[in-house]
Amino acid sequence: MSLTKEDRKLIEEEEQLFQETLESLCGQLPQAQSSKILANLSARELTCQVVNEWNAEERQPLVSDEAVAHKVFDIRKDSDHVLMELIAEPYFGRVVTVEEDGREVSFKIGKKSNVEAGIVDWRNGPISGLFFNYKQGEEFFETINERERIGRIKVRNSYKTENGRLVQIETPDGAFRCRDNGWEKLEVEQEVAVHRSRGRHSREKRLPSILSLITREQYEMITTDSDRPVVIQGSAGSGKTTVALHRLGWLLHEENSKARAQNTRVIVMNKSLQVYVCATLPSMGIRGVETVTFNSWALSIIRQATDGRAFFKFRELPGFIEEIKFSEGILAALSLFVDRQAQSVSAAVAEEFPRRPQLLEWWKQTHSKAPLPRLRDFIHDVRESDLDKGEKKKSLEFLQTLLIGLEDHIGNLYDLLSDKDLLTGCLSLGAKQGEHLDYLIRLTEKNREKSHLDYFDMSLMLRLIQLKHGGLPDKLGGILELDHLVIDEAQDFGPVEFAIMVDAVRDRRHLTIVGDISQKILFSRKFIGWDSVLNILGLPKDDLIHLEISFRCTVPIMNLARKIEGSSGEIPFGRPGAAPVWHRASDRDDVLETVARWTQRLLAEDPYRLIALICRYPKQAMELKEELTEMVSEEIRVGYREQFSFEPGVLTTNIHQVKGLEFDAVALIEPSEAHYPQRQTESRNMLYTAVTRAQDDLMLIGEQPFSSAFSS
């Protein structure tokens, strides 16, 4: 669309303002670099003082140590790195207000603050709320810096920057995009599409920043009380993960909460999403936060607690075994087992020290502690007691035997899974419960003989360790108490995993939990349900936040997704796009040739596209890669676990690897009734998950008849 005189004037003014901001930021660089060097030298001097004082007879460590810590913090805080980040992307929003007294106040909203350049950190509320909570022309009434401010929003614009260059301006009257041949005004449908634009560079293939697009409702979710948990049910592409991560960014801002990055975790379901999130967090200004899969997190703690002796073997098990090990009943059995252990230890201590009232009193005083720290503390008390040498040695040997038994987490788990009476009282497996438990016991004894555990025992082992220690042990011998925890894809966690994660947080109020029931694909892990989640957190049912609008997928793709999940009617609005391509192939060669032509056409149109060819199983993805390698000019990559790469091009992968991810285009390979039976909820959810990975282009192709789930 051609530009009017008014459009050109607006663009010129915005470009001039952008350039002035860049000049201001660049002008600060020499001073920041100089200050950094001087501060570094000062910190080194202070460190030398500390070292010297260690050798002094009268050491005064606290003052010097604290000074060094503060100095290092200042270096990081005032680093020229922050300026470089702002130069690359100075701001994404701008507000001009007309105050009650007629004055105009202008400020920009960015990912970091810079007073000299007039940039306010988006996390610095309530002033940033003038951008997120109001539209152009609306009246506002806010208390900012303990002063009431009344006025009107005169200007509210959003921007996009690429490599320090202004490329997009969005105003209430229209959007403008800078192309190679200059600026252009976008059509209405282009204005919608521009919200999903992620740039032309591979490094930008990550979870998109939603800061400039945040609605009032989303801003409220992100900035809600730091002492209040946030629970989100969001449809595919609705931005639930990005909202959760931006909330984390807001919480880590020093003015909003006491959460520390190093004591915060993001837990995701798979390795590919872990890679994706790890690449995204720095672009959001979040550093020092560890992103882990639940299994890798669990395994690291288990190896530490068992001195590396726990060996888990993955193999196919009967469905009823998975049902037992991921049930709410097994969670109760774990608690009861540890309670009985604690009672047994207590009875043994009482029997060993009947004539030592002082020792028994010490034991009674620690009744509130978990079994392991209680016993370890008591051993310390006995070691420091006034018992005679011989009696003390005998007592310590006895207590050490108890401790060894309590620390045998592997043997304890075998014992638990072999205790038919205990399991019978906790589980409810129907008519064949006895047969199923007998099978489990036989399986457990075989595992004991071979000194290994099943892969599905990992959560049980971690919960056992957590209950016996009174929390998850950290690397320093203490108890892990997280300041905040983000749980993504919550619907695929079972009761045991969920209990572990909730109890790993210092306070249950410091949780952000997001998921989507329609994307549940791990059905062995029975999700406890949103009502139970809210109940555990002490929240009313209406506190569950629903995100329904997809920012990722086009209308035709979302309408297909709705049909798969069984929803009636089509979505009333959204981003327009091409209809999904359906191709029933005559044979395997037809499949390969069609996919090859399709991918090459898309990459010819835009070489920066990321295209995913999604199969049902990993083996199929490997085979597809080998078959296509000789047919296309582009390199074909396999997307599997940590090998996942988000560079432009083509990758083959399977459904379980793409949870939480997005691609420019998706081809779903062999979505047949055989692979995805319509009657199985798990299959329908897999199809829903697969098709909603596509932003713009979707093809469904195979030799066999398509799954009936597409037409139900």
CSV table of all heavy atoms in Angstrom, one decimal, residues 103-155:
chain,number,residue,atom,x,y,z
A,103,ARG,N,0.8,19.3,30.5
A,103,ARG,CA,2.2,18.9,30.1
A,103,ARG,C,2.1,17.5,29.3
A,103,ARG,O,1.3,16.7,29.6
A,103,ARG,CB,3.1,18.7,31.3
A,103,ARG,CG,3.4,20.0,32.0
A,103,ARG,CD,4.4,19.7,33.1
A,103,ARG,NE,3.8,18.8,34.1
A,103,ARG,CZ,4.3,17.5,34.3
A,103,ARG,NH1,5.3,17.1,33.6
A,103,ARG,NH2,3.7,16.7,35.2
A,104,GLU,N,3.0,17.4,28.4
A,104,GLU,CA,3.2,16.1,27.7
A,104,GLU,C,4.4,15.4,28.2
A,104,GLU,O,5.5,16.0,28.4
A,104,GLU,CB,3.4,16.3,26.1
A,104,GLU,CG,2.1,16.8,25.5
A,104,GLU,CD,2.2,16.7,23.9
A,104,GLU,OE1,3.3,16.3,23.4
A,104,GLU,OE2,1.2,17.1,23.3
A,105,VAL,N,4.3,14.1,28.5
A,105,VAL,CA,5.4,13.3,29.0
A,105,VAL,C,5.6,12.1,28.1
A,105,VAL,O,4.6,11.4,27.7
A,105,VAL,CB,5.1,12.8,30.4
A,105,VAL,CG1,6.2,11.9,30.9
A,105,VAL,CG2,4.8,13.9,31.4
A,106,SER,N,6.8,11.9,27.6
A,106,SER,CA,7.1,10.9,26.6
A,106,SER,C,8.1,9.9,27.2
A,106,SER,O,9.1,10.4,27.8
A,106,SER,CB,7.6,11.5,25.3
A,106,SER,OG,8.0,10.5,24.4
A,107,PHE,N,7.9,8.6,27.0
A,107,PHE,CA,8.9,7.7,27.4
A,107,PHE,C,8.8,6.4,26.6
A,107,PHE,O,7.8,6.2,25.9
A,107,PHE,CB,8.8,7.3,28.9
A,107,PHE,CG,7.5,6.7,29.3
A,107,PHE,CD1,7.2,5.3,29.3
A,107,PHE,CD2,6.4,7.5,29.7
A,107,PHE,CE1,6.0,4.8,29.6
A,107,PHE,CE2,5.2,7.0,30.0
A,107,PHE,CZ,5.0,5.6,30.0
A,108,LYS,N,9.9,5.6,26.5
A,108,LYS,CA,9.9,4.4,25.7
A,108,LYS,C,10.0,3.2,26.7
A,108,LYS,O,10.4,3.3,27.8
A,108,LYS,CB,11.2,4.4,24.8
A,108,LYS,CG,11.3,5.7,24.0
A,108,LYS,CD,12.7,6.1,23.8
A,108,LYS,CE,12.9,7.4,23.2
A,108,LYS,NZ,14.2,8.0,23.4
A,109,ILE,N,9.5,2.1,26.2
A,109,ILE,CA,9.4,0.8,26.9
A,109,ILE,C,10.4,-0.2,26.3
A,109,ILE,O,10.3,-0.5,25.1
A,109,ILE,CB,8.0,0.2,27.0
A,109,ILE,CG1,7.0,1.2,27.5
A,109,ILE,CG2,8.0,-1.0,27.8
A,109,ILE,CD1,7.2,1.6,29.0
A,110,GLY,N,11.4,-0.6,27.1
A,110,GLY,CA,12.3,-1.6,26.6
A,110,GLY,C,12.5,-2.8,27.5
A,110,GLY,O,11.9,-2.9,28.5
A,111,LYS,N,13.5,-3.7,27.2
A,111,LYS,CA,13.7,-4.8,28.0
A,111,LYS,C,14.6,-4.4,29.2
A,111,LYS,O,14.7,-5.2,30.2
A,111,LYS,CB,14.4,-5.9,27.2
A,111,LYS,CG,13.5,-6.5,26.1
A,111,LYS,CD,14.2,-7.6,25.3
A,111,LYS,CE,13.3,-8.1,24.3
A,111,LYS,NZ,13.9,-9.2,23.4
A,112,LYS,N,15.3,-3.3,29.1
A,112,LYS,CA,16.1,-2.8,30.2
A,112,LYS,C,15.9,-1.3,30.3
A,112,LYS,O,15.4,-0.7,29.4
A,112,LYS,CB,17.6,-3.1,30.0
A,112,LYS,CG,18.0,-4.6,29.9
A,112,LYS,CD,17.9,-5.2,31.3
A,112,LYS,CE,18.3,-6.7,31.2
A,112,LYS,NZ,19.6,-7.0,30.7
A,113,SER,N,16.3,-0.7,31.4
A,113,SER,CA,16.1,0.8,31.6
A,113,SER,C,17.4,1.5,31.2
A,113,SER,O,18.5,1.0,31.4
A,113,SER,CB,15.8,1.1,33.1
A,113,SER,OG,14.5,0.7,33.4
A,114,ASN,N,17.2,2.7,30.7
A,114,ASN,CA,18.3,3.6,30.5
A,114,ASN,C,17.8,5.0,30.6
A,114,ASN,O,17.1,5.5,29.7
A,114,ASN,CB,19.0,3.4,29.1
A,114,ASN,CG,20.3,4.2,29.0
A,114,ASN,OD1,20.2,5.4,28.7
A,114,ASN,ND2,21.4,3.5,29.2
A,115,VAL,N,18.1,5.7,31.7
A,115,VAL,CA,17.5,7.0,32.1
A,115,VAL,C,17.9,8.0,31.0
A,115,VAL,O,17.1,8.8,30.5
A,115,VAL,CB,18.0,7.4,33.5
A,115,VAL,CG1,17.4,8.8,33.8
A,115,VAL,CG2,17.5,6.4,34.5
A,116,GLU,N,19.2,8.0,30.6
A,116,GLU,CA,19.7,9.0,29.7
A,116,GLU,C,19.0,8.9,28.3
A,116,GLU,O,18.7,10.0,27.7
A,116,GLU,CB,21.2,8.9,29.5
A,116,GLU,CG,22.0,9.2,30.7
A,116,GLU,CD,23.5,9.2,30.5
A,116,GLU,OE1,23.9,9.5,29.3
A,116,GLU,OE2,24.3,8.8,31.4
A,117,ALA,N,18.6,7.7,27.9
A,117,ALA,CA,18.0,7.6,26.6
A,117,ALA,C,16.4,7.6,26.8
A,117,ALA,O,15.7,7.4,25.8
A,117,ALA,CB,18.4,6.3,26.0
A,118,GLY,N,15.9,7.8,28.0
A,118,GLY,CA,14.5,7.8,28.2
A,118,GLY,C,13.8,6.5,28.0
A,118,GLY,O,12.6,6.4,27.7
A,119,ILE,N,14.5,5.4,28.4
A,119,ILE,CA,13.9,4.0,28.3
A,119,ILE,C,13.6,3.5,29.6
A,119,ILE,O,14.4,3.5,30.5
A,119,ILE,CB,14.9,3.1,27.5
A,119,ILE,CG1,15.3,3.7,26.2
A,119,ILE,CG2,14.3,1.7,27.4
A,119,ILE,CD1,16.4,2.9,25.5
A,120,VAL,N,12.4,3.0,29.8
A,120,VAL,CA,11.9,2.4,31.0
A,120,VAL,C,11.8,0.9,30.8
A,120,VAL,O,11.3,0.4,29.8
A,120,VAL,CB,10.5,2.9,31.4
A,120,VAL,CG1,10.0,2.2,32.6
A,120,VAL,CG2,10.6,4.4,31.6
A,121,ASP,N,12.4,0.1,31.8
A,121,ASP,CA,12.3,-1.3,31.8
A,121,ASP,C,10.8,-1.8,31.9
A,121,ASP,O,10.1,-1.2,32.7
A,121,ASP,CB,13.0,-1.9,33.0
A,121,ASP,CG,13.2,-3.4,33.0
A,121,ASP,OD1,12.3,-4.1,32.7
A,121,ASP,OD2,14.4,-3.9,33.2
A,122,TRP,N,10.4,-2.7,31.0
A,122,TRP,CA,9.0,-3.1,31.0
A,122,TRP,C,8.5,-3.7,32.3
A,122,TRP,O,7.3,-3.7,32.6
A,122,TRP,CB,8.8,-4.1,29.9
A,122,TRP,CG,9.3,-5.5,30.1
A,122,TRP,CD1,10.6,-5.9,29.9
A,122,TRP,CD2,8.6,-6.6,30.7
A,122,TRP,NE1,10.7,-7.2,30.3
A,122,TRP,CE2,9.5,-7.7,30.8
A,122,TRP,CE3,7.3,-6.8,31.2
A,122,TRP,CZ2,9.2,-8.9,31.3
A,122,TRP,CZ3,7.0,-8.0,31.7
A,122,TRP,CH2,7.9,-9.1,31.8
A,123,ARG,N,9.5,-4.2,33.1
A,123,ARG,CA,9.2,-4.7,34.4
A,123,ARG,C,9.0,-3.7,35.5
A,123,ARG,O,8.6,-4.0,36.7
A,123,ARG,CB,10.2,-5.7,34.8
A,123,ARG,CG,10.4,-6.9,33.9
A,123,ARG,CD,11.7,-7.7,34.1
A,123,ARG,NE,12.9,-6.9,33.8
A,123,ARG,CZ,14.1,-7.3,33.9
A,123,ARG,NH1,14.3,-8.6,34.3
A,123,ARG,NH2,15.1,-6.5,33.6
A,124,ASN,N,9.3,-2.4,35.2
A,124,ASN,CA,9.2,-1.4,36.1
A,124,ASN,C,7.8,-0.8,36.2
A,124,ASN,O,7.5,0.2,35.5
A,124,ASN,CB,10.2,-0.3,35.8
A,124,ASN,CG,10.3,0.8,36.9
A,124,ASN,OD1,9.7,0.7,37.9
A,124,ASN,ND2,11.1,1.8,36.6
A,125,GLY,N,6.9,-1.4,36.9
A,125,GLY,CA,5.6,-0.9,37.0
A,125,GLY,C,5.5,0.1,38.2
A,125,GLY,O,6.3,0.1,39.1
A,126,PRO,N,4.5,0.9,38.3
A,126,PRO,CA,3.3,0.9,37.4
A,126,PRO,C,3.5,1.8,36.1
A,126,PRO,O,2.6,1.9,35.3
A,126,PRO,CB,2.2,1.5,38.2
A,126,PRO,CG,2.9,2.4,39.2
A,126,PRO,CD,4.3,1.8,39.4
A,127,ILE,N,4.7,2.5,35.9
A,127,ILE,CA,4.8,3.4,34.8
A,127,ILE,C,4.7,2.6,33.5
A,127,ILE,O,4.1,3.1,32.5
A,127,ILE,CB,6.1,4.2,34.9
A,127,ILE,CG1,6.1,5.3,33.8
A,127,ILE,CG2,7.3,3.3,34.8
A,127,ILE,CD1,7.2,6.3,33.9
A,128,SER,N,5.3,1.4,33.4
A,128,SER,CA,5.2,0.6,32.2
A,128,SER,C,3.7,0.2,31.9
A,128,SER,O,3.4,-0.1,30.8
A,128,SER,CB,6.1,-0.6,32.3
A,128,SER,OG,5.7,-1.5,33.4
A,129,GLY,N,2.9,0.1,33.0
A,129,GLY,CA,1.5,-0.2,32.8
A,129,GLY,C,0.7,0.8,32.0
A,129,GLY,O,-0.3,0.4,31.4
A,130,LEU,N,1.2,2.0,31.8
A,130,LEU,CA,0.6,3.0,30.9
A,130,LEU,C,0.6,2.5,29.5
A,130,LEU,O,-0.2,2.8,28.7
A,130,LEU,CB,1.3,4.3,31.0
A,130,LEU,CG,1.1,5.0,32.4
A,130,LEU,CD1,1.9,6.3,32.4
A,130,LEU,CD2,-0.3,5.3,32.7
A,131,PHE,N,1.6,1.7,29.1
A,131,PHE,CA,1.7,1.1,27.8
A,131,PHE,C,0.9,-0.1,27.7
A,131,PHE,O,0.1,-0.3,26.7
A,131,PHE,CB,3.2,0.8,27.5
A,131,PHE,CG,3.4,0.1,26.1
A,131,PHE,CD1,3.4,0.8,25.0
A,131,PHE,CD2,3.5,-1.3,26.1
A,131,PHE,CE1,3.6,0.2,23.7
A,131,PHE,CE2,3.7,-1.9,24.9
A,131,PHE,CZ,3.7,-1.2,23.7
A,132,PHE,N,0.9,-1.0,28.6
A,132,PHE,CA,0.2,-2.3,28.5
A,132,PHE,C,-1.3,-2.2,28.8
A,132,PHE,O,-2.1,-2.9,28.3
A,132,PHE,CB,0.9,-3.3,29.4
A,132,PHE,CG,2.3,-3.7,29.0
A,132,PHE,CD1,3.3,-3.3,29.8
A,132,PHE,CD2,2.5,-4.4,27.9
A,132,PHE,CE1,4.6,-3.6,29.5
A,132,PHE,CE2,3.8,-4.7,27.5
A,132,PHE,CZ,4.9,-4.3,28.3
A,133,ASN,N,-1.7,-1.3,29.7
A,133,ASN,CA,-3.0,-1.3,30.2
A,133,ASN,C,-4.0,-0.3,29.5
A,133,ASN,O,-5.2,-0.3,29.8
A,133,ASN,CB,-3.1,-0.9,31.7
A,133,ASN,CG,-2.5,-2.1,32.6
A,133,ASN,OD1,-2.6,-3.2,32.2
A,133,ASN,ND2,-1.9,-1.7,33.7
A,134,TYR,N,-3.4,0.6,28.7
A,134,TYR,CA,-4.2,1.6,28.0
A,134,TYR,C,-4.0,1.6,26.5
A,134,TYR,O,-2.9,1.3,26.0
A,134,TYR,CB,-4.0,3.0,28.6
A,134,TYR,CG,-4.3,3.1,30.1
A,134,TYR,CD1,-3.3,2.8,31.0
A,134,TYR,CD2,-5.5,3.4,30.6
A,134,TYR,CE1,-3.5,2.9,32.4
A,134,TYR,CE2,-5.8,3.5,31.9
A,134,TYR,CZ,-4.8,3.3,32.8
A,134,TYR,OH,-5.1,3.4,34.2
A,135,LYS,N,-5.1,2.0,25.8
A,135,LYS,CA,-5.0,2.3,24.4
A,135,LYS,C,-4.9,3.8,24.1
A,135,LYS,O,-5.2,4.6,25.0
A,135,LYS,CB,-6.2,1.7,23.7
A,135,LYS,CG,-6.4,0.2,23.8
A,135,LYS,CD,-7.6,-0.3,23.1
A,135,LYS,CE,-7.8,-1.8,23.3
A,135,LYS,NZ,-9.0,-2.3,22.6
A,136,GLN,N,-4.4,4.1,22.9
A,136,GLN,CA,-4.3,5.5,22.5
A,136,GLN,C,-5.7,6.2,22.6
A,136,GLN,O,-6.7,5.7,22.1
A,136,GLN,CB,-3.8,5.6,21.1
A,136,GLN,CG,-3.4,7.0,20.7
A,136,GLN,CD,-2.6,7.0,19.4
A,136,GLN,OE1,-1.5,6.5,19.3
A,136,GLN,NE2,-3.1,7.7,18.4
A,137,GLY,N,-5.7,7.3,23.3
A,137,GLY,CA,-6.9,8.1,23.4
A,137,GLY,C,-7.6,7.9,24.7
A,137,GLY,O,-8.5,8.6,25.1
A,138,GLU,N,-7.3,6.8,25.5
A,138,GLU,CA,-7.9,6.5,26.7
A,138,GLU,C,-7.4,7.4,27.9
A,138,GLU,O,-6.2,7.8,27.9
A,138,GLU,CB,-7.8,5.0,27.1
A,138,GLU,CG,-8.5,4.1,26.2
A,138,GLU,CD,-8.4,2.6,26.7
A,138,GLU,OE1,-7.5,2.3,27.5
A,138,GLU,OE2,-9.3,1.8,26.3
A,139,GLU,N,-8.3,7.7,28.8
A,139,GLU,CA,-7.9,8.4,30.0
A,139,GLU,C,-7.3,7.4,31.0
A,139,GLU,O,-7.6,6.2,31.1
A,139,GLU,CB,-9.2,9.0,30.7
A,139,GLU,CG,-10.0,9.9,29.8
A,139,GLU,CD,-9.3,11.3,29.5
A,139,GLU,OE1,-8.5,11.7,30.4
A,139,GLU,OE2,-9.5,11.8,28.4
A,140,PHE,N,-6.4,7.9,31.8
A,140,PHE,CA,-5.7,7.1,32.8
A,140,PHE,C,-5.7,7.7,34.2
A,140,PHE,O,-5.7,9.0,34.3
A,140,PHE,CB,-4.3,6.7,32.4
A,140,PHE,CG,-3.3,7.8,32.4
A,140,PHE,CD1,-2.7,8.2,33.6
A,140,PHE,CD2,-3.1,8.5,31.3
A,140,PHE,CE1,-1.7,9.2,33.6
A,140,PHE,CE2,-2.2,9.6,31.3
A,140,PHE,CZ,-1.5,9.9,32.4
A,141,PHE,N,-5.7,6.9,35.2
A,141,PHE,CA,-5.5,7.4,36.6
A,141,PHE,C,-4.6,6.3,37.3
A,141,PHE,O,-5.0,5.2,37.5
A,141,PHE,CB,-6.9,7.5,37.3
A,141,PHE,CG,-6.7,7.9,38.8
A,141,PHE,CD1,-6.7,9.3,39.1
A,141,PHE,CD2,-6.6,7.0,39.8
A,141,PHE,CE1,-6.6,9.7,40.4
A,141,PHE,CE2,-6.5,7.4,41.1
A,141,PHE,CZ,-6.5,8.7,41.4
A,142,GLU,N,-3.4,6.7,37.6
A,142,GLU,CA,-2.5,5.8,38.2
A,142,GLU,C,-1.7,6.5,39.3
A,142,GLU,O,-1.5,7.7,39.3
A,142,GLU,CB,-1.5,5.3,37.1
A,142,GLU,CG,-2.1,4.4,36.0
A,142,GLU,CD,-2.4,3.0,36.5
A,142,GLU,OE1,-2.0,2.7,37.6
A,142,GLU,OE2,-3.1,2.3,35.7
A,143,THR,N,-1.2,5.7,40.3
A,143,THR,CA,-0.3,6.2,41.3
A,143,THR,C,1.1,5.7,40.9
A,143,THR,O,1.4,4.6,40.9
A,143,THR,CB,-0.7,5.7,42.7
A,143,THR,OG1,-2.0,6.1,43.0
A,143,THR,CG2,0.3,6.2,43.7
A,144,ILE,N,2.0,6.7,40.5
A,144,ILE,CA,3.3,6.4,40.1
A,144,ILE,C,4.3,7.2,41.0
A,144,ILE,O,4.2,8.4,41.1
A,144,ILE,CB,3.5,6.8,38.6
A,144,ILE,CG1,2.5,6.0,37.7
A,144,ILE,CG2,4.9,6.5,38.1
A,144,ILE,CD1,2.5,6.4,36.3
A,145,ASN,N,5.2,6.4,41.5
A,145,ASN,CA,6.2,7.0,42.4
A,145,ASN,C,5.5,7.8,43.6
A,145,ASN,O,5.9,8.9,43.9
A,145,ASN,CB,7.2,7.9,41.7
A,145,ASN,CG,8.1,7.1,40.7
A,145,ASN,OD1,8.4,6.0,41.0
A,145,ASN,ND2,8.4,7.8,39.6
A,146,GLU,N,4.5,7.2,44.1
A,146,GLU,CA,3.7,7.7,45.2
A,146,GLU,C,3.0,9.0,44.9
A,146,GLU,O,2.7,9.8,45.8
A,146,GLU,CB,4.6,7.9,46.5
A,146,GLU,CG,5.2,6.6,47.0
A,146,GLU,CD,6.1,6.8,48.2
A,146,GLU,OE1,6.3,8.0,48.6
A,146,GLU,OE2,6.5,5.8,48.8
A,147,ARG,N,2.8,9.3,43.6
A,147,ARG,CA,2.1,10.5,43.2
A,147,ARG,C,1.0,10.1,42.2
A,147,ARG,O,1.2,9.3,41.3
A,147,ARG,CB,3.1,11.4,42.5
A,147,ARG,CG,2.5,12.8,42.1
A,147,ARG,CD,3.6,13.8,41.6
A,147,ARG,NE,4.2,13.3,40.4
A,147,ARG,CZ,3.7,13.7,39.2
A,147,ARG,NH1,2.6,14.4,39.1
A,147,ARG,NH2,4.3,13.3,38.1
A,148,GLU,N,-0.2,10.7,42.5
A,148,GLU,CA,-1.3,10.4,41.6
A,148,GLU,C,-1.2,11.1,40.3
A,148,GLU,O,-0.9,12.3,40.3
A,148,GLU,CB,-2.6,10.8,42.3
A,148,GLU,CG,-3.0,9.9,43.5
A,148,GLU,CD,-4.3,10.3,44.1
A,148,GLU,OE1,-4.9,11.4,43.7
A,148,GLU,OE2,-4.9,9.6,44.9
A,149,ARG,N,-1.4,10.4,39.2
A,149,ARG,CA,-1.3,11.0,37.9
A,149,ARG,C,-2.5,10.7,37.1
A,149,ARG,O,-3.0,9.6,37.0
A,149,ARG,CB,0.0,10.5,37.1
A,149,ARG,CG,1.3,11.0,37.7
A,149,ARG,CD,2.5,10.4,37.0
A,149,ARG,NE,2.5,10.7,35.6
A,149,ARG,CZ,3.5,10.4,34.7
A,149,ARG,NH1,4.5,9.8,35.2
A,149,ARG,NH2,3.4,10.6,33.4
A,150,ILE,N,-3.1,11.8,36.6
A,150,ILE,CA,-4.3,11.8,35.8
A,150,ILE,C,-4.0,12.4,34.4
A,150,ILE,O,-3.3,13.4,34.3
A,150,ILE,CB,-5.4,12.5,36.4
A,150,ILE,CG1,-5.7,12.0,37.9
A,150,ILE,CG2,-6.7,12.5,35.6
A,150,ILE,CD1,-6.7,12.8,38.7
A,151,GLY,N,-4.5,11.7,33.4
A,151,GLY,CA,-4.2,12.3,32.0
A,151,GLY,C,-4.8,11.4,30.9
A,151,GLY,O,-5.7,10.6,31.2
A,152,ARG,N,-4.3,11.6,29.7
A,152,ARG,CA,-4.8,10.9,28.6
A,152,ARG,C,-3.6,10.3,27.8
A,152,ARG,O,-2.5,11.0,27.7
A,152,ARG,CB,-5.6,11.8,27.7
A,152,ARG,CG,-6.1,11.2,26.4
A,152,ARG,CD,-7.0,12.3,25.7
A,152,ARG,NE,-6.3,13.5,25.4
A,152,ARG,CZ,-5.5,13.7,24.4
A,152,ARG,NH1,-5.3,12.8,23.5
A,152,ARG,NH2,-4.9,14.9,24.2
A,153,ILE,N,-3.7,9.1,27.2
A,153,ILE,CA,-2.7,8.6,26.3
A,153,ILE,C,-2.8,9.2,25.0
A,153,ILE,O,-3.8,8.9,24.2
A,153,ILE,CB,-2.9,7.0,26.2
A,153,ILE,CG1,-2.9,6.4,27.6
A,153,ILE,CG2,-1.7,6.4,25.4
A,153,ILE,CD1,-1.6,6.6,28.4
A,154,LYS,N,-1.9,10.0,24.6
A,154,LYS,CA,-1.9,10.7,23.3
A,154,LYS,C,-1.3,9.8,22.2
A,154,LYS,O,-1.8,9.8,21.1
A,154,LYS,CB,-1.1,12.0,23.4
A,154,LYS,CG,-1.0,12.8,22.1
A,154,LYS,CD,-0.2,14.1,22.2
A,154,LYS,CE,-0.2,14.9,20.9
A,154,LYS,NZ,0.6,16.1,21.1
A,155,VAL,N,-0.2,9.1,22.5
A,155,VAL,CA,0.5,8.2,21.6
A,155,VAL,C,0.8,6.9,22.2
A,155,VAL,O,1.3,6.9,23.3
A,155,VAL,CB,1.8,8.9,21.0
A,155,VAL,CG1,2.5,7.9,20.1
A,155,VAL,CG2,1.5,10.2,20.3
